[in-house]
Amino acid sequence: MAKTVQEVDQVVIRFAGDSGDGMQVTGDRFTNATAVLGNDLATLPDFPAEIRAPAGTLFGVSGFQLHFADHDILTPGDAPNVLVAMNPAALKTNISDLLPGGTLIVNSDAFDDRSLAKAEYANNPLTDGSLAGYEVYEVPLNKLTLGALEGITGLTQKDMLRSKNMFALGLLSWMFSRPTDGSEGWIRDKFGKSPEVAEANLRAFRAGIAFGETTEVFTHSFVIKPAQLDPGTYRNITGNQAITLGLVAASVRSGLQLVLAGYPITPASDVLHELARHKQFGIKTMQCEDEIASAAAALGASFAGSLGVTVTSGPGLDLKSETIGLAVSVELPLVVLDIQRAGPSTGMPTKTEQGDLLHAMFGRHGEAPVAILAASSPADCFDIVLEAARLALKYRTPVIVLSDAFLATGSEPWKLPDVESLPDLTTAFEFATGPNHEGEFWPFLRDEETLARPWAIPGTPGLEHRIGGIEKHDGTGDISYDPENHHRMTLLRAQKIAGISKDIPRLEVDDPSGSAETLVLAWGSTFGPVRAACKRLRNNNVNVAHAHLRHMNPFPSNLGEVLHGYKRVIVPENNMGQLLKLVRAEFLVDAQGINKVAGAPFKAAELTQALEAHMEIPR
Amino acid sequence: MAKTVQEVDQVVIRFAGDSGDGMQVTGDRFTNATAVLGNDLATLPDFPAEIRAPAGTLFGVSGFQLHFADHDILTPGDAPNVLVAMNPAALKTNISDLLPGGTLIVNSDAFDDRSLAKAEYANNPLTDGSLAGYEVYEVPLNKLTLGALEGITGLTQKDMLRSKNMFALGLLSWMFSRPTDGSEGWIRDKFGKSPEVAEANLRAFRAGIAFGETTEVFTHSFVIKPAQLDPGTYRNITGNQAITLGLVAASVRSGLQLVLAGYPITPASDVLHELARHKQFGIKTMQCEDEIASAAAALGASFAGSLGVTVTSGPGLDLKSETIGLAVSVELPLVVLDIQRAGPSTGMPTKTEQGDLLHAMFGRHGEAPVAILAASSPADCFDIVLEAARLALKYRTPVIVLSDAFLATGSEPWKLPDVESLPDLTTAFEFATGPNHEGEFWPFLRDEETLARPWAIPGTPGLEHRIGGIEKHDGTGDISYDPENHHRMTLLRAQKIAGISKDIPRLEVDDPSGSAETLVLAWGSTFGPVRAACKRLRNNNVNVAHAHLRHMNPFPSNLGEVLHGYKRVIVPENNMGQLLKLVRAEFLVDAQGINKVAGAPFKAAELTQALEAHMEIPR
Amino acid sequence: MTSNGNGQVIQLTKKDFESDQQVRWCPGCGDYAILATVQSFMPELGIPRENIVFISGIGCAARFPYYMETYGMHGIHGRAPAIASGLAVARPDLNVWVVSGDGDALSIGGNHLIHAMRRNVNMTILMFNNQIYGLTKGQYSPTSELGKVTKSTPFGSADYPFNPISLALGAEASFVARTIDNDRAHFTEILRKAVAHKGTKFIEVYQNCNIFNDGAFDAVRDPRSGRENRIYLEDKKPIRFGKDESKGVIMDSDAQLKIVDVEEVGEARLLVHDENAVIPGRAFALSRLSHSPTGPVPLGIFRSVERPVYEDLVEQQIAQAKERGGPGDLAKLLRQGETWEVS
Amino acid sequence: MTSNGNGQVIQLTKKDFESDQQVRWCPGCGDYAILATVQSFMPELGIPRENIVFISGIGCAARFPYYMETYGMHGIHGRAPAIASGLAVARPDLNVWVVSGDGDALSIGGNHLIHAMRRNVNMTILMFNNQIYGLTKGQYSPTSELGKVTKSTPFGSADYPFNPISLALGAEASFVARTIDNDRAHFTEILRKAVAHKGTKFIEVYQNCNIFNDGAFDAVRDPRSGRENRIYLEDKKPIRFGKDESKGVIMDSDAQLKIVDVEEVGEARLLVHDENAVIPGRAFALSRLSHSPTGPVPLGIFRSVERPVYEDLVEQQIAQAKERGGPGDLAKLLRQGETWEVS
Ligand SMILES: Cc1ncc(C[n+]2csc(CCOP(=O)(O)OP(=O)(O)O)c2C)c(N)n1
Ligand SMILES: Cc1ncc(C[n+]2csc(CCOP(=O)(O)OP(=O)(O)O)c2C)c(N)n1
Ligand code: SF4
Ligand code: SF4
Ligand SMILES: [Mg+2]
Ligand SMILES: [Mg+2]
């Protein structure tokens, strides 16, 4: 039977299975094959906090969603068209998201009584008619995988069944006409050390393809044409990978040794892991005893003349507060990466949230202003880290970079930049080399333009000096309890940070009609959903403008002007209204918030609806 | 020669000398004598960070200012009428504050060449004419003291000279007609263990009195009549003492054991010191290894069913952030006392500032709202601590109390409350005793009115349960990663705190004319200076209203209404505008700030001037 | 044994200590065995459930309290000993346990741990040492061997590990012991002795993390081959171990310990173990017999000495103050110092 | 010795290490003597001033860097070892010192201290132990004796103190020593040996706080009467001390140390000190000879062993990576993994 091939413009697939089923790997591989094909894409992994929860439990389900299309897309998709469910628990926790009429592929071998009970199913959903609204494909994945692997020696049945995710990958690859070379190469690489395992995975993968192609279960497959992206070389990248590469680039482009000190914490640990591999760049990574020590070590490295960086998530940021305050006081560069997760306290460690903006702004005693940046997409993490390094070096200040779990683990295609086109950070700073005041060296004599103090590093003869967290004399840097001096220094520290607004791009507004009365102001990882929702509104002939902040402190110099240019300002955030507070206080605009604090990004549809409600658009 | 006695209505005296000269003690004693006499008073100690700086240095000068009057006063006075300078360094650092024509009493024996050099005087100010504008009394304090002590055996000359502050105290006591019994009693008590020292101090004190009375140096003394205070029993009290007594009262009035865990830090340590003395009340104090441990220990005590309290200053508050977040999540009572000092970082540890308001509000990752209170005078610290305990117990929430160095060490007369009239805290909570949901115990089933969860303490049979910082199910309290539940819990935690506004007094406005167009909104230790400045304005026929916040989060329910009732709102703060940000954001009023960040409270005069400038009143 | 709320006393069983929460460790994790041992031991304690509290930090190990049908708090990373200290000081009547991992207890929480031990707060600290960070998916910990290749150290770790027993002894711990997750009999025996001791009990439990550090303790943990390497310390007895107890431990004049063939040196020369030695020199020497477990490893109680318990002293001070001055009188306290009347 | 910036080499003197800041300790404080000793020793180091860095936390002791004409940072309370670790890792070419008090190092900073020692980061840590919090005006510290009456413990402290030497040994420190503020010759000798050692050098300095804890160390510190109680440890020599070296230290078979009359037991039985013993059992036993100094106290180097230095291993890994793969190529790195072209 010749199978038909249907062209579609976009698909959202979700893989769901047990933590041990390898869903993240399957999703990753499918994503790479999709990326290489030139589709635009966005991904949303969603995994449990447990390492490897007992098999078959509802809380042990791990998912990976991928949205890909022949056009520019902005989000990982609100709801899947295609759901792959490896067991009853995966079906139970995901089926409500599947679009009506959507494609459901289940591993029918996994629907035995025990597994159904674990998933708290009273009846077998495959037989009780509850799935009638979907196009259901029951695939006996276990049997088919074992069949394909017959004859391989040295593997137990349990080992063999580990390859069933590759069978599923093969099947889906066929279904969506994905290239297979990359995945085959990857399998060989990954399992290179145990040839039987590699062989098993390869065979399972190929069997999946063959199953799609030859059996009569599936009648047609799909193609999705490449998207019209800018010409260039692309790779797929997650936010955490982009941060890592951004850090390497910051080191290369500044000519400075980079020292990253961290302490493991989800979802930030991968930055430490990845960066630790890049020793060729002379980059040093330290896993410290805690977050306080890692901030302190990074600051020590900056004092030594390196680019000191520390990486963490919310609970760790709490602990770094005092050290960041010291960095504010001694005025040294320090890059603090905060990969936000759902709070308060331990919260939901693997889930996303934008809860740390006000903490980054105000989370230190005394008046201790810092610069704050926020990345708006996985790939933007690369640029934002370079910008953070630039500001930290130029203004000798801590810079807090806000990313979040959604950006950290989500991915998108990234057009590789030309190294030479990256910002030249060597111009952002120079080390002091000699006296700066009547033959003396004054460590707190500021640059008139930037208000930055000189950076004199150990090893420089004649510039020996002492710094510390006690208030110091404007100029000499000697300890000073003089009241006026303290007032002046407080102002100077504030002005230095405020002055950065002259050194950053003006805020651009996306307002194609030019006549929108409503501005949607957002920041960070909501970029995709907000932009997508605005597009939907415009498709419905609703004019709406979108401005997206990457510089959170100071704001771009024209923000006030932008805000006052609209009748209505709406601020959607994955928190209770933190940016909202800041803009209301600073610009006295009666902006209103749309707030979702559910450990998950906005869906384009729900955001569209919420915006409509605010704009009082009848539906 | 009969000396005349002149009646005056108020005086500001400043004692200044070396750290080793006992100026704080002298000031304290004089204050007590003044208090007992029934004058109203306010004090402002000002001491160096150094323990005992080398003698005679400028940075080693310690000062104590006292303002007392026959009427209600609000501040320790802008500038002294009388300055007592024990050495050249004290003269140098204080003379510029003395009012023109003011009285200067110097220890002329201390003006030798070495001391002058240490104080960086090129010429002797006693002889170079630079003090012409003042009424100068040169008193050879060393000689006079040694003379008075002649014949006392067992003391070296150095020991004897230690009593010279008591000579000064005696002299000033005569000068301002202070009672002497109290001071004599105090000397006997204090030095009871070494009779010679007691004798020396007594003799010096009496000699000082005699010197004033008999020598011809002084021609007249002063009396200041008692102030018209409410009838009752009074004592003089500092903010830190009031906090300590408030904590004892909270324990007594709630019937709960109080456990205070702290780590020493200026200016908060005295609370730990003082409270450690009150073991009779069953109060337990722990000096922990750091601030994290002390917050954690306090929370552990609250879990156990005690009233857990921790006390610190800014740098310590940074470190407690994560634990306070845990307390927000597990919803247990916790009182956090933050005695603010000048920041950022180590800053100026002995100096005052209001820099931690936004840190208290937002200084935790995620959405982690807490209640915040601020004391407005030394005596108010007592009431505010009781209120903090009430809210913590009733709403099972951390409550952060903001005091500052000015309140902590400054003092005022306090009318002793009747114990029975103090709030009955036993009505604020009850321990859970049995199941609350269909025969089960649900630790997160909330009280409908307060939204507080039940407080079930170990030792209660049948209510065994587990709590923690991971997000939990609304009701059962089981770990939950459910998105909707997280959103709901986030809202509930916010609503619980917001709901406190129904349970606190409405904001009262001091607007005698009833027709002011300008409102001065303030909080914390600026109460005195702001009220004083408003009085001055009114004396100049400028109508102005003053409202003072003690509840910082949530605000009193009528704050918005109050703000919108005035044309102009001015917010003076000893920070860069923190309350200002909050009210602008919440109420969209174009309030303007007056900001002084100089490690010292506002002076009534400077504040009056700044208010006039804002109100565009020509001078 | 517990009261049922009506004053009746009931004999409890293991089941009574199992909470209704689903256990969420990886299948095969050593934590399961520990949980079973502790739950089985609990009835023996003879303490009503409601008087028992488990406090933990964060980590796989730290999930423990959720599974115990007692009072419990899953705190924040590293702070369990501090939370538990406050609890114990507030309520010396409670039976307090801390459960922690090697990262939780020795990395971020190291300071609280050593201070709790120094203070001798009455609580039992179980430190599950799997020489790895489990919950955060496999970074090296302060007990991982030098050169360990992990996610955060792809080229091998550069830092020398702590020896938890040495550290505890150096931090003045009054009760220090080591056992193995799967050695139920020994583990139970240690628990028994620990609860009988008043003060801080530090128990290191070798725990297998089969996902990120499988087999780290095989040299001693393996039910078959590991037995030979277990040096079970027995109080007041010569230290012998191995097949037919053929091996022993002696001390050289320079305080170095050596493993010897008992036949060769004679039993008389063997070091006699003494848990109660006031000065922990010998216990410390014993702790140095092995660092990471690759050969013979002492198991059991290294040290158990009486020392004043922090919260007891606190209670004493209160009792004394009340005795001296009577119970606190608030009205009197407020009136302390100089007062004056205005009428 | 230093270069003067023009490439010339100059012999430095104590004066060259005195900064222009006025020293702000209380008159009579032991810190003055320490400062003088360190400043006098510095020229001997033979390291240019600009390559020396002093890092501190907060406390009276921690003011030290301000007075040294070198690079310096007065950090935050307890974090100096962590700041210094980052500095040392970033710049192994620098000569790094940490100055800390007993509160700074052992209370709030305890964790950073023990981890720095475990890692063996190359730095010299001077811990001024005055058994009190000086800067905050006299609260007890983790080295204060049990029952100490201070501002925060009006009825006496309830917690048993650390023995800093024991703690350091328990935390795997590779160099551990003790000296006294006013014993300049001995102090200088310890400094000399410390700088010759590579790794973390932990030096406890008994320091008199004449304001809040005057005389705490008189038993050993007093220039006259204290001498008898100073047990100066000398490498590879029998441990003798006291008048005419008439007293000595022996070890019992149970690893307990005893102080004896040399004549009575004979010199042969005296314990021979060995700084370099790989296993720190004997050093630990020596540290237990005294807790708070009330009688004879060992001074000198308890332990000095070679162990890989953290930042050296870090450098090695970088060198190896560069050797294996050449220096980093950013363009290549960005292109790593699967890429595709869009044209
Ligand atoms: C302040 C903070 N930092 C970091 C983390 C992330 N974290 C959670 S558990 C853990 C380490 C767990 O290791 P261990 O204590 O050995 O427990 P195990 O999982 O191995 O049982 C870390 C780093 C956190 N939750 N909080
Ligand atoms: C985070 C923080 N907590 C507390 C303090 C207050 N503090 C400053 S120094 C100090 C202790 C000093 O004792 P020690 O380290 O022994 O030094 P010493 O003054 O005795 O030399 C304390 C508690 C602080 N500065 N920062
Ligand atoms: S990761 Fe390791 S320690 Fe954690 S549950 Fe799994 S096996 Fe156990
Ligand atoms: S308080 Fe003590 S340690 Fe501090 S400077 Fe004074 S004498 Fe020295
Ligand atoms: Mg572990
Ligand atoms: Mg000290």
Side-chain angles (χ1 to χ4, degrees), chain C residues 93-154:
Chain C
D93 61 309
L94 299 175
N95 185 262
V96 181
W97 297 70
V98 164
V99 181
S100 190
D102 44 325
D104 195 52
L106 294 177
S107 195
I108 193 168
N111 208 30
H112 309 304
L113 179 73
I114 61 178
H115 280 271
M117 296 191 294
R118 163 176 91 73
R119 284 195 192 99
N120 209 27
V121 176
N122 189 23
M123 56 182 160
T124 308
I125 301 177
L126 304 178
M127 189 191 83
F128 303 178
N129 184 5
N130 54 16
Q131 301 192 341
I132 200 83
Y133 287 4
L135 190 71
T136 47
K137 306 198 179 176
Q139 299 84 9
Y140 80 118
S141 92
T143 56
S144 300
E145 64 279 12
L146 185 67
K148 186 162 193 90
V149 173
T150 69
K151 282 212 180 116
S152 56
T153 50

Side-chain angles (χ1 to χ4, degrees), chain B residues 94-358:
Chain B
N94 288 283
I95 188 67
S96 63
D97 291 340
L98 186 61
L99 286 175
T103 302
L104 172 67
I105 299 170
V106 292
N107 173 11
S108 54
D109 284 344
F111 283 68
D112 55 292
D113 288 354
R114 233 181 108 234
S115 304
L116 288 166
K118 272 202 196 155
E120 298 170 23
Y121 268 122
N123 304 309
N124 188 338
L126 301 184
T127 56
D128 71 357
S130 60
L131 301 175
Y134 309 104
E135 196 177 316
V136 183
Y137 297 96
E138 295 184 27
V139 183
L141 272 177
N142 293 17
K143 272 187 223 91
L144 291 168
T145 304
L146 290 177
L149 270 50
E150 224 164 84
I152 297 189
T153 53
L155 292 183
T156 63
Q157 171 160 329
K158 209 174 139 202
D159 291 338
M160 290 187 179
L161 282 177
R162 287 227 181 87
S163 311
K164 67 175 181 290
N165 62 330
M166 287 298 119
F167 188 102
L169 179 65
L171 176 56
L172 272 283
S173 295
W174 167 79
M175 205 166 164
F176 292 98
S177 320
R178 303 293 98 179
T180 58
D181 291 4
S183 295
E184 295 210 353
W186 177 86
I187 291 172
R188 270 189 285 263
D189 264 23
K190 162 106 180 176
F191 304 107
K193 281 193 196 140
S194 37
E196 317 81 46
V197 179
E199 175 68 11
N201 279 284
L202 261 183
R203 279 213 223 161
F205 177 65
R206 290 174 185 161
I209 300 172
F211 180 78
E213 224 163 61
T214 56
T215 68
E216 302 200 349
V217 181
F218 297 93
T219 55
H220 56 280
S221 64
F222 305 86
V223 291
I224 294 95
K225 284 215 197 127
Q228 287 306 324
L229 301 176
D230 274 358
T233 307
Y234 282 76
R235 63 177 284 188
N236 192 48
I237 198 161
T238 66
N240 274 351
Q241 286 169 341
I243 285 184
T244 309
L245 295 178
L247 291 173
V248 178
S251 172
V252 169
R253 299 295 293 169
S254 65
L256 289 176
Q257 168 180 270
L258 188 144
V259 177
L260 176 130
Y263 184 73
I265 186 165
T266 305
S269 312
D270 280 339
V271 174
L272 173 64
H273 304 163
E274 284 288 313
L275 202 64
R277 315 198 147 270
H278 301 318
K279 301 239 182 294
Q280 280 170 272
F281 292 87
I283 285 173
K284 294 176 179 167
T285 56
M286 299 170 71
Q287 177 178 313
C288 294
E289 58 272 24
D290 64 14
E291 284 88 352
I292 302 178
S294 53
L299 185 62
S302 285
F303 183 51
S306 300
L307 176 55
V309 181
T310 184
V311 59
T312 191
S313 185
L317 189 61
D318 293 1
L319 293 168
K320 292 180 197 293
S321 297
E322 194 197 6
T323 310
I324 297 173
L326 174 62
V328 168
S329 181
V330 297
E331 304 191 42
L332 281 172
L334 180 70
V335 174
V336 180
L337 307 166
D338 175 25
I339 320 297
Q340 302 164 98
R341 65 190 216 186
S345 196
T346 306
M348 308 196 300
T350 56
K351 309 291 178 189
T352 198
E353 201 157 294
Q354 298 185 292
D356 301 355
L357 173 58
L358 291 176

